[in-house]
Amino acid sequence: MRVAVISSEAVPYSKTGGLADVAGALPKALKRAGADSVLITPCYLQTKGEFIWSTAIEDLWLEWRGRSYRAKAFYSEANGSPTFLIDAPEFFHRDSIYGFTEDYERFAFFNHAALVLLKRVGKKIDIVHLNDWHCGFAAVKLAHLRFWDVFWKDTRTVFSVHNLAYQGGFGSGELWDLGFGSRFEQDHFAFEGYASAMKAGLSASDMLSTVSPTYGVEIQRSENGYGLDWLLRARSSRLSGITNGVDYEVWNPETDELLAANYSWQDLSGKRTCKRELLDQFSLPVDLDTPVFGTVSRLTSQKGIELIQQVAGEIINLGAYFIALGSGDRSYEDFFQRLRNAAPGQVGFFRGYNEDLAHTIEAGADLFLMPSRFEPCGLNQMYSLRYGTVPIVRAVGGLHDTIHNFDRVSGQGNGFKFGPFSAGPFLEKIYEAVFAFAEPETWRAIQVNGMKEDHSWENAAQKYIGLYKYTLQL
Ligand code: ADP
Ligand code: GLC
């Protein structure tokens, strides 16, 4: 089976969030599971030269908005599987990956280039696996192309929703120019008077998936559906939830070269060294018996930062440390900075994006906070599990599917989770966790439960292959 994974970001070539982790790791896992996979992603200004191995195609000619455009395709296997990076400076050499008013055009171009490239490479593709709104364009194109281009006749599409909140909306008047002239194509995009690339992907793809089963159920309800719940309900027989995996080649305390010491569930002593290193890095006084609460996150309302704001004072009153890494909404950044200024002996904050520090926090913290408003899957809670950093999460989406309350009687459970989006229930779990932390044996049991779990991609890749096979029979 030959699978082309198309994504707007993929580790190690580019990253703004978990989508990149997934798109980087899945093709590698598919390859290991026996599929012939290829990844296609843009080459951004941010893509480091060391990851580009060669130029695969010097002249990828594309008809675009009435003119001929010459793009290139680079080749790499830096993520462990064959990858083509579309090089088109006009669209992708910007100071950030997203955030431009013409993003819809940039990714429509990317989708067009990806399909032209795949045909030029010439190997028939069974499944094109599309991710989020940035790939909705290709879903529509392929639904159309398969009727008149023999190369695509047997190709089927799977569209994964990583985050329904971002929909890629633009004026319907643009569709013709972007190459979607037919009524059939335009209907897929039509959404409340404008064009939505997310709706197009959901409407035109053969099969849909979400990155956790619970999120797949949540987005069929009006309160989480962003106006598309009716479509998800209508297509629910084609919607499946597969929880993301973790790339343990990158996120594994036994081998992680970014840590001050390595450790495993059999021998956790290195974790104390990592805690010391973390406190040192933030110039905090070192008391290894005091719990460290950590968080690594995009600072947006999705991540429930309001709730962290509401409980932060209590965490300080408890005498604990609190360390945050993130960037995003200015008001949240300012809040963490103020908290740091108010309690410089207990709080650490790094504003920005820092891969190495994310590892240092995962290893050095005792507890990881993730009280998300909604969370399609979430990766940090799973990284935390492997690093023996006990997660406190809100019971939504993938957080609900992966974190289970610790039960003192049975000794089962890997963390703490609460339901209502409110500071009270969150605080209850914080207290419960701090009490458990004070009992070394209990704490170790929770840590070990999480560390022994297997959230590897092998499992998820098998599920995707099952989904692809099912899709091919439709
Ligand atoms: P989302 O994709 O919604 O941001 P996920 O939990 O799926 O959430 O994935 C977030 C990914 O981005 C993780 O790999 C996390 O470590 C990383 N990340 C988020 N913010 C930062 C940051 N400020 N610095 C480094 N890594 C970050
Ligand atoms: C999105 C979601 C996150 C998920 C990631 C990868 O960014 O917000 O929950 O883990 O995609 O699927």
Side-chain angles (χ1 to χ4, degrees), residues 375-395:
E375 197 60 73
C377 179
L379 297 171
N380 275 112
Q381 83 280 14
M382 291 193 277
Y383 301 156
S384 298
L385 289 176
R386 183 49 68 109
Y387 282 72
T389 303
V390 176
I392 305 184
V393 306
R394 181 154 175 262

Side-chain angles (χ1 to χ4, degrees), residues 3-32 37-41 79-83 98 129-132 134-135 158-163 209-212 215 241-248 250-251 298 303 353 355 370 375-383 398 402 455-461 464 467-468:
V3 182
V5 177
I6 304 187
S7 176
S8 59
E9 53 182 279
V11 162
Y13 313 107
S14 56
K15 173 165 167 175
T16 68
L19 170 61
D21 293 298
V22 172
L26 175 62
K28 180 167 65 174
L30 289 172
K31 201 172 123 210
R32 277 203 213 108
S37 68
V38 59
L39 168 68
I40 304 182
T41 193
N79 72 324
S81 74
T83 302
Y98 310 119
H129 186 161
L130 303 162
N131 295 280
D132 267 356
H134 321 93
C135 297
V158 171
F159 183 81
S160 290
V161 181
H162 296 258
N163 199 334
S209 76
T210 54
V211 288
S212 71
Y215 189 61
I242 300 177
T243 306
N244 288 330
V246 172
D247 188 342
Y248 288 129
V250 181
W251 294 97
R298 290 185 293 119
K303 301 295 176 180
Y353 184 89
E355 198 86 36
M370 231 170 145
E375 197 60 73
C377 179
L379 297 171
N380 275 112
Q381 83 280 14
M382 291 193 277
Y383 301 156
T402 54
H455 294 279
S456 61
W457 268 108
E458 275 56 51
N459 202 355
Y464 275 112
L467 187 74
Y468 300 153

